Amino acid sequence: TDHEGLPTTILEAMSCGLPVVATAVAGTLEVVVDGETGLLAPPKNPEKLTTAILSLLNDKELRERMGKNASEYVKRSFDWDIIAKNFEEIYIDMIK
């Protein structure tokens, strides 16, 4: 597929401090910061996907750093208070 919507499974993994490997398609591009919170591979490219997976499996320091970054990113970007405030602002703008 060439898009993913909002990949909740990826967000759940990241919130648990896990780095992710995903394909660089719409949806994942909005939540995975390549090289910081996980690794992105081009779509329909199993070789690059395999390389990304193996690089995380073989590098504990990289996994831990990206996992910590992933957890902080989700907390910062998807906190319920922030989401609620964003919706509140949208609703206020709509009734003006």
Side-chain angles (χ1 to χ4, degrees):
T1 183
D2 293 345
H3 65 281
E4 175 57 38
L6 182 65
T8 54
T9 305
I10 289 175
L11 289 173
E12 290 169 354
M14 290 171 62
S15 72
C16 293
L18 298 173
V20 297
V21 175
T23 54
V25 295
T28 58
L29 291 170
E30 285 74 36
V31 298
V32 178
V33 181
D34 190 34
E36 290 184 36
T37 63
L39 298 173
L40 293 171
K44 301 175 185 172
N45 191 325
E47 294 83 14
K48 296 275 187 177
L49 191 62
T50 301
T51 299
I53 292 168
L54 290 174
S55 69
L56 280 180
L57 284 173
N58 293 322
D59 190 336
K60 182 180 179 184
E61 184 179 313
L62 180 65
R63 277 194 317 272
E64 290 175 352
R65 179 175 50 82
M66 285 188 179
K68 181 179 181 209
N69 291 344
S71 176
E72 291 171 357
Y73 175 81
V74 170
K75 288 176 187 169
R76 190 174 59 247
S77 303
F78 295 94
D79 176 77
W80 282 112
D81 292 333
I82 293 170
I83 292 171
K85 183 163 179 54
N86 289 341
F87 274 112
E88 179 182 24
E89 290 173 5
I90 291 169
Y91 292 139
I92 289 171
D93 286 344
M94 289 174 60
I95 60 173
K96 287 183 180 180

